[in-house]
Amino acid sequence: MAGGRETCLALIGFILTCLKMVASLKSAPEIPTIDQAYSKISNSITVEWATVPGATSYLLTAEDGNTVIETMVANSPGTVTGLKAATLYEITIRSISAAGRSQASPPKQAKTVLAAPILEVSSPSSDSILVQWEAVYMATGFSVSIMRANGLGSIWKENTTNTSLTFTSLEAGTLYTIKAYAWNANGIPGDDSTCNQRTSPRAPANIQVSFDSGALKASFSWAPAEGAFNYTVMALSDSSELTCSTTLSSCTISSLQCGTEYLISVLASNDAGSGKSSSAVTLKTVACAPGRVMIQEDPPGHLSVTWSNVDLGDYYVAFVKSDDGLEVHCNTSLTQCNFLSKCGFTYFISVFAYNKAGQSPLGDIFNYTTAPCCPSDINPVLVSSDRVEIVWSPVRGAELYETKAVDGYNVVECNDTAPACTLSALECDTKYNITVYSFSEVRGSNMSCTPQFITTAPCSPEIKNVSRDAFSMINVHWRSTNDDATYTVTAQGEKGLYQCSSMGESCTMGGLPCGSVFSVTAVAETQAGRSLPSYSVPLETAPCCPTGLTVTQITQSVINVSWTIGTVAQTHVAVLESHTGQSKCHTHQNDCLLGCITCGINYTMTLKAISATGLAADCSSLRYFSSACCPLGVKLYRLGPNGIRIYWQASRGSANYSTDLYGSKGIFTCTPSAGLSFCDVAEIPCGDVYTVMVSPVAETGLKLTFCPKKIYSVTCSGSTLGMVIYRGKRNEE
């Protein structure tokens, strides 16, 4: 059932298709007729036909046996494109309307023309253009023409069977239009090919060079070349090639090398090629700075500067500038210059090479410091036995001073930055060779400094002995090892300074005050100076003798000796001496009692002063007469009513006496005549008790009171005569 239905539907479709075909045959447009078919372009054929009424478009068909190409066009003529060059095609056409399309027209054959040659053009020189192409299929010849692109001038045409052609005698740097096509055996031309080509520019002329020696660069200029788009300047040396490019007519190359000769050429170029200058220009740069510069100072005060020779150097100039700003120079074609120099200066040295291009670049600047100057005004400000102080003026270039003192074998040194030096630990009375060397860190010591001889002060003497003679003169002896020295001995104390001098080993001084302590020193002196004082030796003079020596009779057998204590004396010894014997006392006081004195005889009194150290001074002696002896047998006798006689018995020797009676009613005195041993008191009250004393009178008139006293009672008995009653002795302290 299902199969019958499908068969029925298929039959209905077939019937409808047939009806449609019948309807289209009845309404399709007429078949067009091709009038002509031809090819003007190698990839297309143009077809011309008569217009078919009712046709709205046409279908062109081209067949070459292998391929079919169709093209819809609106009307005649129509062109079929996308064809192969130099190929025979069969062309048909159909008209198309709304009702359908017609049958294909009778075919017509047409052949496409030759393909255009593919050109390769170049300008091998500034006046020629080379045109090249590959072989074209079915071509038997080629036609090539050239003319200026701007249309000016004539057309130059050449035919050839080759695949290349060169046009010469053209204008340099000019744009040309080249046109070429191929033809076949029938002479029918094919497609043409057109291109533009510019001839390369001519080489630049009138090249000018300007060299900047300071910057080591060069500027180049030239006359512009026709048709040149840009220029390239090439500087070629043995070791390098430098270039610069520009669209202008000038260019600068920097970073040139000193001491180098360059070959300069200029290349003008455009899109066709380039033209290089035929005659190169030579450029010589400045010479390089001289190397291996050596500086020597030999002899001192003369600098020698040498250097190596350099390429392209015509002559040299060496500049020497000192650190005080002064500059000198030397111009020479050799490789050495000599200059005068001064000590203590730093010189800055540079050497330049010169040629026609100018001065070489600045090379290394060398500095050379000469040896520092030697001190010339060495002045010893202090010379002692073991030390020398010297000063000098600072000298140029010295950073340190080295001072050496040499006495033959021993060397004493001191180093200091100050212009002064103290040499210590030297030997006394010794001649030293003293040299002050100046030193700088760069150059070291200046060993040409002149020495100076300085002798140290003499050695200190050694006091061996200080002695006194009988005349109180002080003798000083010493020991010394100095040559030609004068010695001065000084005794100094609180009471002054005393000196003596000698060129030997002893001297004597006198007049030193008593009771003094001195310090004795000795000093040696030469032309070199004075020595240090010797070690001091103490000296004590004898103590001074006391003054105001006084002797006082205390009792008949005792005297008191007193004095004013002298300087330094600590004790005194008093001696009283006569033919009868000696009395002596030793005391630290200023008086003493001497007993066992015999009355009425002459004595010698001496006094000795002794210091704490036992040094004694024998002072002057004096004569002393002891007092008269006290009288014996003193008695009173009544003389009349109011008188009294005092009687005594004189002792040995002659003496004057004085009698004193002490009572309650007064003191009564009587003095006997010379040679008598009694005296009378004329008026004396009776009825009183009297103390009676008969005293010797000293030569000075002093009454001695140490004799014994007696007591008497004088009574009143009657009117004329009384009795004197002895009462005994009176005891007194």
Side-chain angles (χ1 to χ4, degrees), residues 170-185:
L170 302 179
E171 295 181 12
T174 302
L175 183 63
Y176 286 88
T177 299
I178 298 96
K179 185 176 182 181
Y181 61 88
W183 68 82
N184 58 18

Side-chain angles (χ1 to χ4, degrees), residues 56 107 116 176 270 313 317 369 396 501 551 568 624 670:
T56 57
Y176 286 88
N270 57 19
V317 177
T369 301
R396 187 176 182 89
S501 298
V551 180
V568 179
Y624 175 71
C670 69

Side-chain angles (χ1 to χ4, degrees), residues 96-391:
I96 300 173
S97 67
R101 66 172 66 178
S102 69
Q103 295 291 322
S105 67
K108 195 173 186 75
Q109 289 186 339
K111 193 174 185 178
T112 54
V113 298
L114 301 180
I118 300 174
L119 301 180
E120 293 182 4
V121 294
S122 62
S123 177
S125 64
S126 60
D127 64 347
S128 66
I129 291 178
L130 171 62
V131 184
Q132 295 176 302
W133 59 89
E134 294 181 359
V136 177
Y137 178 65
M138 299 296 291
T140 59
F142 300 91
S143 179
V144 183
S145 62
I146 188 170
M147 67 176 295
R148 291 173 67 113
N150 57 10
L152 300 177
S154 59
I155 299 175
W156 185 1
K157 185 176 181 181
E158 293 283 346
N159 292 325
T160 182
T161 59
N162 297 323
T163 57
S164 65
L165 184 65
T166 299
F167 292 95
T168 60
S169 302
L170 302 179
E171 295 181 12
T174 302
L175 183 63
Y176 286 88
T177 299
I178 298 96
K179 185 176 182 181
Y181 61 88
W183 68 82
N184 58 18
N186 297 325
I188 299 174
D191 289 347
D192 57 26
S193 178
T194 303
C195 65
N196 290 332
Q197 175 64 46
R198 193 183 304 274
T199 53
S200 58
R202 285 193 179 91
N206 193 23
I207 301 173
Q208 301 293 324
V209 180
S210 175
F211 179 66
D212 185 346
S213 61
L216 278 177
K217 65 180 181 180
S219 297
F220 307 93
S221 63
W222 53 87
E226 181 68 30
F229 292 170
N230 52 62
Y231 302 90
T232 299
V233 179
M234 292 175 288
L236 181 63
S237 70
D238 293 339
S239 60
S240 65
E241 179 179 353
L242 301 175
T243 62
C244 68
S245 297
T246 180
T247 60
L248 306 177
S249 59
S250 63
C251 186
T252 299
I253 294 180
S254 57
S255 302
L256 296 174
Q257 299 297 316
C258 60
T260 304
E261 184 174 356
Y262 289 93
L263 196 63
I264 306 299
S265 60
V266 182
L267 185 71
S269 60
N270 57 19
D271 52 356
S274 60
K276 186 176 182 181
S277 56
S278 58
S279 58
V281 177
T282 299
L283 169 64
K284 291 183 179 181
T285 62
V286 294
C288 295
R292 295 200 299 273
V293 177
M294 297 183 64
I295 305 164
Q296 290 182 327
E297 186 183 13
D298 187 21
H302 296 80
L303 283 183
S304 174
V305 183
T306 59
W307 56 87
S308 61
N309 207 353
V310 295
D311 294 336
L312 303 184
D314 295 338
Y315 65 96
Y316 304 91
V317 177
F319 294 89
V320 175
K321 186 175 184 179
S322 59
D323 54 12
D324 62 354
L326 182 65
E327 183 177 67
V328 295
H329 69 277
C330 160
N331 190 327
T332 180
S333 59
L334 305 177
T335 57
Q336 179 176 350
C337 276
N338 296 313
F339 300 90
L340 294 178
S341 61
K342 296 180 181 179
C343 60
F345 277 81
T346 296
Y347 293 93
F348 301 93
I349 300 165
S350 55
V351 182
F352 295 89
Y354 289 83
N355 58 20
K356 292 181 180 179
Q359 173 184 289
S360 68
L362 176 64
D364 293 332
I365 297 178
F366 299 88
N367 63 71
Y368 184 88
T369 301
T370 56
C373 298
C374 289
S376 59
D377 57 345
I378 299 174
N379 181 31
V381 295
L382 184 147
V383 177
S384 68
S385 300
D386 62 348
R387 186 162 50 98
V388 172
E389 294 182 16
I390 56 176
V391 296

